[in-house]
Each structure stands twice: as C-alpha cells, then as structure tokens.
Amino acid sequence: MKFRGEAFLFCPLSGRAWRAGHMDTRRFLVMSEEMKNEFTFENPEYRKTYWHTCSHILAQAVKRLWPEVKLAIGPAIEEGFYYDMLSPFPFTAEHLAQIEGEMRKICKEKLRLERFELPRTEALKLMEEKGEPFKVELINDLPEDAIISFYKQGEFTDLCAGPHLDSTARVKGNAIKLTACNAAYWRGDSNRETLQRIYGIAFPKKDELDAWVKQREEALKRDHNKLGRELEYFTTVDVIGQGLPILLPKGARTIQVLQRWIEDEEQKRGYLLTKTPLMAKRELYKISGHWDHYLDGMFVLGDPHDEEKECFALRPMTCPFQYQVFLNRGRSYRDLPMRLGETSTLFRNEDSGEMHGLIRVRQFTISEGHLILRPEQLEEEFKGCLDLAKYCLDTLGLLDKCTFRFSQWDPANPNNKYEGTPEQWDEAQRVMGQILDDLGVEYTIGIDEAAFYGPKLDIQYKNVFGKEDTLVTIQIDMLLAKQFDMEYVDTDGQKKFPYIIHRTSMGCYERTLAYLLEEYAGALPTWMSPEQVRILPITDRAADYSYELKEKLFAQGFRVEVDPRNEKIGKKIREAQLEKVPYMLVIGDKEVESGEVAVRNRKGEQTVMAFDAFAALLKDEVETKSKEQKA
C-alpha cells in the first residue's frame, strides 16, 4: 500500500502500517521463527491492541444497555483496559455482570472494525448528533492539522486514533472480566465532571483468564492496603484526609528501624546529615524552577498570584533547601564532593484518584540526598549512589524484582515542562547514557519521564497488582547550580559551577514499607519486624520468669513483648502467628526450672535451647539482616 508517497505494509489484525524500508526489523508478514509470536500476547504491541479493542467492545455494550450514558475515553493500560463514562446512576457488580454478557454477544457477532477519517466540522457534527459532549471537547482540543479518525463496529462508532483488531471475533468472549468501577475526574481535574471508570481484563484463552483470577486472589491476600490495616501498621481517617496515613506503633517502629539503618549507612559513606525546614517562601521555589514547573503539585499557604503578600509553600523536594548548606560560605574544589543527606518529609498535591494506601500519598518521608561535585567526579559519585541504592534494595529483599529506566526529556515538550536548552539536555543525556553503559546497567528508556532540570535513572518496582511506581531515583543536574549561584573555586583559581546529583538511597519510607508488606506477606524479616519476640507463659509461675527474660532481651536491644493473659497456650500461639511475630518463647514450669526456652518460629517449627544460645542466634540474625529465620 502507499501512504503519503511511501511504501507501507499493513497488518489487518492490528490496523497498523510499517514502512517497507524497515523490513529488516519489522518483518510482520514473514512467517519465521522470529515472528511466530507476533499476534500473541507475547508481543506487547498486539496485547495493547487487543485490550484497546476490548475497551471499544465495553463501550458498545454499555451504550446498547443504557444509551443515555456519555462516553469519555477508553485506553489500554499496563494490565487490561478501562473506559470512563458519565452515567445517571452508579454502576454496581450486577451492572458489570450485565455488561460482560453483552460484550460476549458482541464478540460472537464478529463485527468488523472499520477506520475512517472526517474533516473537523463533520467530525464535530457526528459527535454532536450522537450526543457525546466529551468527544466534542476532545475534537475541539486537537491541533488544526490533526487527522481526526474514528472506528466503527456495527452500530457503534467511536472517536479514536487506534490501532485495533480487525474484528470483534478476534476477542475471546468468555475470557473477558470486568474487574472494578471507580470514580475518576474528567481529564484529571477535580473541578470537572466525576465519571465512572470501568476496568477490565481479557485474554485469548479462558484458562489464561482463570490463571490471572487465581493470581489476583493471591495478590489481594498480599495487598499492603489490606494487610497493613489488619496487622495494624497504618490507618487512614476521613477527617484527616486522603493520602495522609497515620502510622500506628508497628508501622512507626519499622520505619524508625529503617531510617536509623539508612542514616548510619549514609554516614559510613561520607554523607553529611542536614535538617531543613518543611516550607519556604515562594521566592525560593522561583529560583529553583518549582514555582514555574511544579506549582500545581504543591500545597501553597497564601495566594500564589498576589505578589504584594508573603506566600509560602510546603516543600515537594528538599534540593533548594540543601543547596543553602553549600551556599553557607565560600567553597573550593577541596570541599567537593559534598554529600548531603536528609530524612525529608515532603508534601505533594497528588490527585485524589491516584491515592493508594502507602504507595502514593500526599505527605511522605524520603531518604533524600544531594551530591555537589566537580564534573570529573560525576561518574564515580553516580556509581556510589547506584551502589548504595542496590545495597539497600538487596538488603531489603526487593532488588531482584526491580527494573531500571533511563528517564529522558521530550524534545516536543520543552517550554512548559523543562528547564534548559536542547543542547544542554543532549549533553546531560549523553553523559548519563555513557555512565550507565560504563556501569553495565540494563535499562529501558522513558521519554518525558525526566525531572524538569535533568535526566534520571529510575529504579522501578511493581506492587502485587502489577502497578509500577518509582522506588529510587538518581538524577543528573547540570542546570540548578547556576540558578542558585553555587560557585566553587577550582584548582586553576577560577570560579565554576558544580554538577549536582539528586538521589535517594531507599526511596520513600511509606512506599517501601508497603512493598515489604506485600513481598513478605506481612511476615517481615526479624531485623525490621516491629515485634521480634513474644514470650508466652503457660502458668502464673512462668509469668514472672517471662518478664525476667523480656528484660534480658530488651537490654540487648531486641523488641520483645509478653502475653500474660489467662488464655490457652494454643490461642496465644495462633494469635502471635497471625500477627506474623518472628519468634515465640513458650515458657512453662519446665523451662523455669531448666533455664531453657521452647522456641517456636512463625512457620510453626519448634526447638528447645538454652536462653543464651537463643539470644546469640537472634543477635546474629538481626546484625546480618538475614531474610530467613535461623531457628
């Protein structure tokens, strides 16, 4: 086929076309070993196309059942698809079951998906006639030279850029499942209409859906939002606000353990500890660029547009504050690298639809740091930051599931999001790419994922539902030092601007705690567990001895509790196991007389040993930060 004078190959399944000149890498019509999975879920592009088609089938089913519903958008997402709709009534589980049934009918009808284009006036007229105000708005927002395309299947037509499968018959009707319905603001704006977002998943085979459902059930058991509340690590309260969790004693203790460990480790690696304010005047954020590029994500105290009155904002990042440590006096090359670390409480005005347990919140604490250095020190210091991050994540037991993303700017979006010139960005990304290659980091590239002042390495992690978030970042900044007049005197006597590395060592403490609860299903390794030992006396005589043992273990730095209740020992053991306590010491008259302890781990395994031997074993397990129990 020909398109705009170029030769293309057209794939009827996905609706996509590729230049014939790219046949060496895109041989989509050649039946070969390399291409045998092209139209299976092994191919992420086909999978996305499949799910995008499912979103149209979902919308068509809803319009058949309730024509008064207004359609917004319906993309494929990382796992499945969704469609946002404005409905005069809330969708319930019964409604979702009805929609699933109609979707299966549409699949059996084998409707062809036909793409067509319209001029702007005709496109607007079509959507106005269909009574779809959100589609009209989307068309009006398109650039003047945009190609306005639609997809038609049977009686249903939707504004869409595609791609799609060629027929609804390609979708396996009994392998579709609608999973949830949540509220969502139109275009993410809390001042706009509140829509209903129906989520779904689909697979080419029914047994694949069954396997996904089973995996989902296991994920629900591990979901930190469920486990963390049941085990009393955190809670949320309506009158305090969404995205503002309260850490209960267990959660607070675990984060304290992690914080002390991180701060001690950073001190060993030459970091200087700082403590900076939680807020600042708008003038500081104007210098850093946050006022221009991040104002919507900040909590502002005062009128941001009234220049006559003083205005403050809670800090979303610590960098402009820590720079003041460098600026406190004149600096020379002998002061560099300067490694500044801080356990920082930050505030970000996240959209309400993005809130999830401890993973995405509006107030959080982070192991933040900034390294101020000479250009020739950049690679070595970047390597040190990466080594620290990998050490922390490996010790926590999370590293094996992490992936690395080289987050870059989008040259098409420079003016309203990024500082600096294309030449500065090209240089920063060239340098960072060279460093990553020198260090042998395997990474993907994320366009338009950079910070507004520079590229970064994002260490990514997925929760139990497959949702990916950033756990740790290491960012190269060649711009902000100049904005803050951060000069140092170099070896040649000349004043120069340093480079800066923005980094976290473990990332956000709340998010990390969430991932740890999910990774270990609530049974945290002993060294970070809020309660490491619970002593269970069987008799009143054993109770006094139990408290003596508690004091001995407490004096050695262990976290120990006694359960003195007059309950059967079996019940005490079951409750301790349900609370994921690593070790239980069952103490009866025999143990009082012998000086030994009956040690039971949370797996149910039991052994008898001398008290001093248990204390030594426990000490070794904690000091080595073992992920496995040793008794």
Side-chain angles (χ1 to χ4, degrees), residues 26 40 98 312 315 318 482 486 612:
R26 292 290 192 182
T40 72
Q98 282 183 267
F312 289 79
R315 63 181 183 184
T318 312
K482 186 174 183 179
M486 297 168 64
D612 289 343

Side-chain angles (χ1 to χ4, degrees), residues 220-283:
L220 285 170
K221 295 177 185 177
R222 287 177 172 261
D223 180 11
H224 85 279
N225 214 4
K226 173 177 180 290
L227 268 180
R229 295 171 193 274
E230 290 176 351
L231 295 175
E232 296 188 347
Y233 277 80
F234 76 97
T235 188
T236 51
V237 181
D238 287 343
V239 294
I240 289 179
Q242 195 176 14
L244 299 169
I246 293 175
L247 292 174
L248 300 173
K250 287 184 180 179
R253 182 66 70 194
T254 298
I255 284 183
Q256 182 192 57
V257 170
L258 296 176
Q259 179 180 328
R260 288 174 172 173
W261 165 56
I262 292 294
E263 289 180 350
D264 289 346
E265 184 61 34
E266 289 182 345
Q267 182 174 326
K268 292 176 188 175
R269 297 181 185 233
Y271 282 81
L272 304 174
L273 185 66
T274 68
K275 185 76 171 176
T276 57
L278 299 181
M279 69 178 76
K281 293 161 66 175
R282 77 178 130 211
E283 285 71 21

Side-chain angles (χ1 to χ4, degrees), residues 150-162:
F150 297 84
Y151 279 82
K152 182 178 185 298
Q153 57 196 59
E155 83 288 354
F156 178 75
T157 299
D158 201 359
L159 172 72
C160 186

